[in-house]
Amino acid sequence: MKTKAFRAALPYTLPICVGFLFLGMSYGFFMRSQGFSFVYPLLMSLFIFAGSMEFVTANLLLLPTFQPVHAFLLTIMVNARHLFYGLSLLDKFKNLGWKKPYLIFGLCDETFSIHCTVDTPEGVDPGWFMFFVTVLNQAYWVAGATAGALLGYIIHFNTKGIEFVMTALFVVMFVSQWEVNEDHRPAVIGAAVTMLCLLVLGSDHFLLPAMALIVVCFLFMRRLTPAKKAPSDHTLTRKEETP
């Protein structure tokens, strides 16, 4: 059962492997350029596993004094989108036993996209399938970050702006989801609300209000969207009788 789930999950994670190795190496190079040992990106990839926050953590570690409250609030702002990820996967993660805590911890953007868009292949246990998707994706990131940091001892170049790779990744994911989904209203609402909050509140305070307003807009849109009626038993019976 485990082997079958691993083989089913591997092909879906290979495209992410290419991206994560490149992004992870960029992060490793960045950490090494800031003077950190390769142990830092290795352990941070294992225990934090939040790409954008890992880039930010490098700057937090370089501050003259450690500010735990600032770090806590900043982490919530950077990773607040995971609140939405978790809510949408409550049913899928139900009754998964010991796998559930790790699936929650390892839920990154790319893993979330697989969980939402890929149906578990027939004959494969859903819990083990999602588990191996999560494990493989984290393994790619850890390998890339560690390799980049180790290469940083040998290769030296100007890493200014390298953290922008995470922004580029989110743009690619947005475009990909736009092409896959026929209903573009959520994407348009998200982009418009975010831009509005950015213009009104500024870059330092726009994120949490924007996400809260997006939730309100989605709830309002859901109320306006009529629910699809399930076909009655009588209708199904008549269809089955029709030659």
Side-chain angles (χ1 to χ4, degrees):
M1 179 172 59
K2 298 177 184 178
T3 303
K4 192 173 183 179
F6 177 83
R7 290 177 177 175
L10 182 61
Y12 292 105
T13 65
L14 288 179
I16 296 173
C17 173
V18 177
F20 267 19
L21 288 178
F22 173 75
L23 293 171
M25 290 181 68
S26 302
Y27 168 62
F29 274 120
F30 176 72
M31 288 291 290
R32 184 67 196 124
S33 70
Q34 300 299 309
F36 292 100
S37 163
F38 78 94
V39 176
Y40 279 83
L42 170 61
L43 295 179
M44 288 166 66
S45 300
L46 282 171
F47 296 108
I48 297 178
F49 191 42
S52 52
M53 192 60 213
E54 288 179 46
F55 276 98
V56 175
T57 303
N59 296 321
L60 293 177
L61 292 174
L62 293 173
L63 292 175
T65 57
F66 178 60
Q67 302 175 8
V69 176
H70 172 72
F72 175 75
L73 295 176
L74 184 61
T75 302
I76 291 179
M77 291 182 64
V78 172
N79 293 305
R81 64 188 184 280
H82 288 267
L83 295 171
F84 300 90
Y85 295 172
L87 289 173
S88 62
L89 291 174
L90 285 175
D91 291 335
K92 284 196 171 186
F93 286 178
K94 189 182 297 183
N95 301 323
L96 291 182
W98 62 267
K99 302 184 194 71
K100 184 176 180 179
Y102 176 69
L103 290 176
I104 295 172
F105 163 77
L107 187 61
C108 62
D109 304 281
E110 295 75 15
T111 301
F112 172 75
S113 65
I114 294 178
H115 290 341
C116 289
T117 59
V118 175
D119 294 327
T120 304
E122 187 176 352
V124 176
D125 180 80
W128 281 111
F129 176 77
M130 290 188 291
F131 175 79
F132 282 119
V133 166
T134 307
V135 167
L136 287 168
N137 285 341
Q138 184 175 14
Y140 302 147
W141 179 259
V142 173
T146 306
L150 290 173
L151 289 173
Y153 286 96
I154 306 171
I155 304 172
H156 303 279
F157 63 94
N158 187 1
T159 59
K160 183 179 180 180
I162 197 171
E163 62 271 19
F164 186 75
V165 294
M166 294 305 300
T167 304
L169 174 64
F170 291 139
V171 172
V172 171
M173 291 176 61
F174 177 84
V175 173
S176 176
Q177 290 298 315
W178 180 279
E179 293 176 347
V180 170
N181 295 304
E182 296 181 358
D183 186 2
H184 298 317
R185 289 178 299 172
V188 173
I189 291 173
V193 169
T194 303
M195 185 61 65
L196 176 63
C197 290
L198 177 62
L199 293 174
V200 174
L201 302 174
S203 59
D204 294 332
H205 308 287
F206 81 99
L207 187 58
L208 292 180
M211 300 191 78
L213 187 55
I214 289 172
V215 172
V216 172
C217 291
F218 284 171
L219 291 174
F220 183 72
M221 186 175 68
R222 184 177 182 181
R223 282 181 170 273
L224 294 179
T225 303
K228 294 182 180 179
K229 294 183 178 180
S232 63
D233 294 339
H234 178 69
T235 305
L236 291 174
T237 305
R238 295 195 59 177
K239 284 185 177 180
E240 292 172 357
E241 293 175 352
T242 305

